[in-house]
C-alpha cells in the first residue's frame, strides 16, 4: 500500500505522521511520532492508529545532533522495522511569501526562494527547510511537497493586506500575510460537516496554542487575520508578544542599545506569556500557578482574544459562528469559558456542561452566536495536498524513488 510521510520540523523536534493511501485517494492515518530533544536529550516516541505504542527510544546526543540526523534515524526506523517506504513527503513550511499561494512540488530553486523568508519566520522557516534539503540531497527522486501556512490567506482584499506605507514596499513583499493557514483550511473543510448553516456564513476561528492567531472567514474563505508580515503580530503567544507599537522596537534599539539580532531573539523567545508571567510559556502551567503574574498573563491573553474578536467581527460586518481550535482552544475549559464570557456582548452564551465535556457545540441553544470546538488536523491537510499534487504529476508508469 502506498504511504505519504508528513513532516513538521522545529528547532529541537521533528513531528512526523504516516498516511496510507487507500482506494479512490482516501487517506488513513497509520502512525504518528516525534523526535524530541534534538542535540540535547534525543528521544523518539511513536504510536499507531489506535494510540498503541510503537516506539519509545532514547539516543546518544551525537546520534541525533540536528534535524537531518533526526530524519535519518526516524526514516531508518520506518523503513527497516515497519517496512514503510513513502511515495512522497509533505512538509509544513510556515512562510510562502508573495510567491506561493498553493502547495508546490519542491526542487532546489524553490528551496532557494523559500530561504529568502527565513528572516520573516526565524523560529520556523530554517527548521522547516532542513529536512527538505536533507532529502533533496540523499533522495533527489523522492517527490516532496511544501504546504504553506500563509497560502490560505492569499485571497485577502488589498485593504486587508496593505500596511500604510509606500506601495513600492508592498510590491517588494512587505505586506500582511497571516499564518496558521493549514489549520484554518482544515477547519473550513470540517465545519460544513459540523454546522453547514454556519459554515456558509461569517465565522471567527480562534487557533489558540503556543502560537496563536484568529481568522475571519466568510463562506469558508479567509478575509482577515490577526497575524501580519511575520508570526509576531496579533495575539499574545507563548513567547511572542503579539501586537506591539513599532516605537517599542525603536526604543529597544536606540535607548536600550540592543542589536537587531538581540531584539529579534527577544521578541520571538522572551515575550508573550513567558515574559508577562515570568513563570512559563505553557498555559497549562500558568493555569495551575499561584503566582499573580501568571494570573495577569492569562487575563491579558483572554483580553486580547476578546479585543481581536471585535475587530474580526467588524471585518465580517457581523458574525454567525465562533470556533475554538488548537492546543489551548481544544483543551482548556476555563480559557474557552473566559473568552466566551468576554464575548457575551456578541450574544454568546456558553453551556458550562457541554464546555466541560469538550463537546463539539459548547454554546446554549439560546445563544445568538453558536460556539464550536473543532480539533484541527494540519497533518491531514498536508497529506491531502501532497497526494493531490502527486496524482496530478504521476505519469502512467511512474518510477519514483521511495524512502522514509
Amino acid at each position: 500500500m502506498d504511504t505519504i510521510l508528513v513532516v513538521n520540523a522545529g528547532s529541537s523536534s521533528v513531528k512526523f505522521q504516516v498516511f496510507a493511501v487507500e482506494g479512490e485517494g482516501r487517506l488513513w492515518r497509520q502512525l504518528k511520532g516525534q523526535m524530541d530533544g534534538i542535540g540535547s536529550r534525543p528521544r523518539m516516541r511513536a504510536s499507531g492508529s489506535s494510540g498503541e505504542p510503537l516506539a519509545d527510544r532514547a539516543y546518544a546526543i551525537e546520534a541525533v545532533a540536528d534535524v537531518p540526523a533526526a530524519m535519518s534515524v526516524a526514516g531508518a526506523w520506518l523503513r527497516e522495522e515497519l517496512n514503510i517506504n513513502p511515495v512522497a513527503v509533505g512538509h509544513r513550511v510556515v512562510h510562502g511569501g508573495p510567491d506561493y499561494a498553493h502547495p508546490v512540488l519542491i526542487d532546489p530553486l524553490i528551496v532557494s526562494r523559500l530561504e529568502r523568508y527565513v528572516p520573516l519566520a526565524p523560529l520556523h522557516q530554517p527548521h522547516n527547510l532542513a529536512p527538505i534539503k536533507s532529502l533533496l540531497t540523499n533522495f533527489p527522486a523522492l517527490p516532496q511537497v511544501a504546504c504553506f501556512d500563509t497560502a490560505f490567506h492569499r485571497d485577502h482584499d488589498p485593504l486587508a493586506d496593505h500596511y500604510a506605507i509606500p506601495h513600492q514596499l508592498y510590491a517588494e513583499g512587505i505586506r500582511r500575510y497571516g499564518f496558521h493557514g493549514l489549520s484554518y483550511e482544515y477547519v473550513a473543510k470540517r465545519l460544513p460537516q459540523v454546522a453547514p448553516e454556519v459554515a456558509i456564513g461569517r465565522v471567527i476561528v480562534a487557533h489558540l496554542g503556543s502560537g496563536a492567531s484568529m481568522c475571519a472567514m466568510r463562506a469558508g474563505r479567509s478575509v482577515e487575520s490577526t497575524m501580519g508580515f511575520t508570526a509576531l503580530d496579533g495575539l499574545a503567544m507563548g513567547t511572542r508578544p503579539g501586537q506591539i507599537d513599532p516605537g517599542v522596537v525603536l526604543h529597544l534599539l536606540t535607548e536600550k542599545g540592543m542589536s537587531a539580532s538581540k531584539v529579534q531573539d527577544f521578541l520571538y523567545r522572551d515575550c508573550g506569556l513567558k515574559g508577562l508571567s515570568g513563570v512559563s510559556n505553557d498555559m497549562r502551567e500558568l493555569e495551575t500557578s499561584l503566582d499573580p503574574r501568571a494570573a495577569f498573563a492569562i487575563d491579558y491573553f483572554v483580553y486580547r482574544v476578546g479585543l481581536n474578536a471585535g475587530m474580526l467581527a467588524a471585518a465580517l460586518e457581523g458574525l454567525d459562528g465562533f470556533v475554538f481550535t488548537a492546543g489551548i482552544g481544544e483543551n482548556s475549559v476555563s480559557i474557552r469559558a473566559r473568552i466566551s464570557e468576554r464575548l457575551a456582548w456578541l450574544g454568546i452564551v456558553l453551556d458550562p456542561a457541554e464546555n466541560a465535556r469538550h463537546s463539539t457545540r459548547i454554546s446554549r441553544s439560546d445563544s445568538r452566536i453558536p460556539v464550536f470546538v473543532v480539533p484541527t488536523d494540519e497533518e491531514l491537510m498536508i497529506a491531502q495536498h501532497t497526494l493531490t499534487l502527486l496524482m496530478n504529476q504521476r505519469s502512467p508508469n511512474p518510477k519514483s524513488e521511495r524512502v522514509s
Side-chain angles (χ1 to χ4, degrees):
M1 181 180 293
D2 286 346
T3 55
I4 289 173
L5 175 64
V6 172
V7 176
N8 184 358
S11 59
S12 61
S13 69
V14 174
K15 299 176 183 177
F16 59 92
Q17 296 192 18
V18 174
F19 290 83
V21 183
E22 298 180 327
E24 300 178 358
R26 291 189 301 271
L27 291 165
W28 170 68
R29 198 185 323 267
Q30 192 169 340
L31 65 85
K32 60 172 65 175
Q34 183 163 335
M35 179 75 80
D36 289 311
I38 295 171
S40 57
R41 296 181 179 178
R43 191 175 196 90
M44 185 180 73
R45 296 178 176 88
S47 58
S49 59
S50 301
E52 71 277 14
L54 297 178
D56 187 352
R57 303 177 183 180
Y59 297 87
I61 294 175
E62 57 271 18
V64 190
D66 54 23
V67 168
M71 285 291 297
S72 178
V73 169
W77 174 71
L78 290 170
R79 184 173 60 253
E80 296 168 10
E81 299 191 33
L82 301 184
N83 196 31
I84 292 175
N85 295 284
V87 294
V89 182
H91 300 265
R92 179 196 181 205
V93 178
V94 165
H95 216 304
D99 297 329
Y100 300 107
H102 305 283
V104 294
L105 278 165
I106 295 167
D107 59 33
L109 178 59
I110 284 175
V111 172
S112 77
R113 287 175 175 168
L114 294 176
E115 285 181 321
R116 294 182 301 179
Y117 308 125
V118 167
L120 306 188
L123 279 188
H124 305 92
Q125 196 85 346
H127 312 300
N128 297 161
L129 297 179
I132 293 174
K133 292 189 284 188
S134 176
L135 289 174
L136 271 177
T137 299
N138 295 308
F139 306 98
L142 176 67
Q144 297 189 75
V145 174
C147 301
F148 304 103
D149 261 340
T150 49
F152 186 68
H153 307 290
R154 287 301 309 279
D155 292 332
H156 282 182
D157 185 275
L159 287 175
D161 269 0
H162 274 73
Y163 290 108
I165 56 178
H167 285 278
Q168 177 58 34
L169 292 173
Y170 179 87
E172 293 172 8
I174 301 178
R175 60 185 74 175
R176 299 184 68 246
Y177 290 101
F179 295 87
H180 295 132
L182 291 164
S183 175
Y184 294 127
E185 183 181 9
Y186 176 81
V187 172
K189 290 181 180 298
R190 180 78 179 95
L191 197 56
Q193 303 166 40
V194 172
E197 71 288 351
V198 173
I200 61 174
R202 302 160 296 181
V203 178
I204 293 174
V205 182
H207 176 106
L208 307 179
S210 179
S213 69
M214 298 167 72
C215 176
M217 296 184 194
R218 183 180 289 112
R221 299 175 71 89
S222 174
V223 298
E224 182 60 273
S225 171
T226 57
M227 281 184 168
F229 182 55
T230 69
L232 283 172
D233 203 4
L235 307 177
M237 290 163 262
T239 61
R240 288 168 269 169
Q243 182 181 5
I244 190 169
D245 186 335
V248 174
V249 178
L250 296 177
H251 180 83
L252 296 176
L253 291 167
T254 60
E255 300 302 319
K256 291 293 186 179
M258 295 173 68
S259 66
S261 62
K262 285 286 187 183
V263 170
Q264 175 175 281
D265 196 57
F266 171 73
L267 293 174
Y268 276 100
R269 301 181 188 278
D270 295 326
C271 295
L273 299 178
K274 176 184 176 182
L276 278 175
S277 70
V279 174
S280 174
N281 65 337
D282 191 321
M283 183 63 80
R284 292 167 296 188
E285 293 184 31
L286 298 182
E287 287 187 286
T288 59
S289 175
L290 299 178
D291 192 315
R293 296 176 301 168
F296 180 80
I298 295 173
D299 289 345
Y300 184 89
F301 180 82
V302 171
Y303 171 71
R304 299 302 296 193
V305 171
L307 202 64
N308 280 271
M311 176 192 75
L312 296 179
L316 291 167
E317 299 180 316
L319 191 62
D320 301 306
F322 192 97
V323 177
F324 289 102
T325 194
I328 298 170
E330 294 171 24
N331 296 297
S332 178
V333 172
S334 64
I335 294 297
R336 290 198 302 256
R338 293 186 59 181
I339 290 171
S340 297
E341 182 180 3
R342 185 165 282 278
L343 298 180
W345 65 274
L346 283 170
I348 287 176
V349 184
L350 206 65
D351 184 322
E354 296 301 322
N355 185 38
R357 283 195 288 266
H358 301 284
S359 299
T360 299
R361 176 167 176 157
I362 60 172
S363 55
R364 283 186 358 197
S365 58
D366 60 344
S367 179
R368 192 167 74 229
I369 306 297
V371 182
F372 304 91
V373 178
V374 178
T376 191
D377 197 339
E378 295 159 296
E379 290 78 15
L380 179 57
M381 287 307 314
I382 294 169
Q384 288 177 344
H385 286 309
T386 301
L387 179 60
T388 298
L389 276 180
L390 188 65
M391 292 176 71
N392 289 342
Q393 291 291 323
R394 271 183 165 173
S395 62
N397 297 298
K399 293 181 180 180
S400 61
E401 183 175 353
R402 298 186 180 197
V403 69
S404 46

